[in-house]
Amino acid sequence: MCHDDQPASLRDVADHVEHVRALAGPESVGLAGSYGTAVDAPHTIGLEDASCYPNLIAELLHRDWSEADIAALTRGNAARVVREAKAL
């Protein structure tokens, strides 16, 4: 959670991702980024751009996420949604 107009931290993002997973299930959460598109938007400390995703993955692994849930988060869920959309 951000306080006093400070940017979110990597741990804040991990907390948020875990909250979504707890509410919606591991098949309903994924990563995306629109870095640099908002003028004067603060960047997450430790997750300044997509090249920092390994930092987030390491934090989630430290929190005992399974490799299957990490795979779903990083690519599996987005790939599944695209396949399902193509099938429509």
Side-chain angles (χ1 to χ4, degrees):
M1 180 176 297
C2 301
H3 300 286
D4 301 321
D5 296 325
Q6 296 297 313
S9 70
L10 180 76
R11 294 189 72 183
D12 293 328
V13 173
D15 290 345
H16 180 73
V17 170
E18 285 201 303
H19 180 72
V20 172
R21 182 179 76 154
L23 289 177
E27 68 282 351
S28 300
V29 63
L31 296 177
S34 56
Y35 298 100
T37 60
V39 177
D40 296 327
H43 290 285
T44 300
I45 299 167
L47 194 60
E48 289 82 5
D49 59 45
S51 72
C52 298
Y53 280 169
N55 299 336
L56 178 59
I57 301 310
E59 175 66 23
L60 295 173
L61 287 169
H62 178 73
R63 295 175 182 213
D64 295 324
W65 276 48
S66 70
E67 288 189 26
D69 283 357
I70 294 291
L73 174 73
T74 57
R75 65 183 178 278
N77 292 336
R80 176 183 44 79
V81 168
V82 169
R83 280 192 309 274
E84 290 173 359
K86 283 183 175 182
L88 294 177

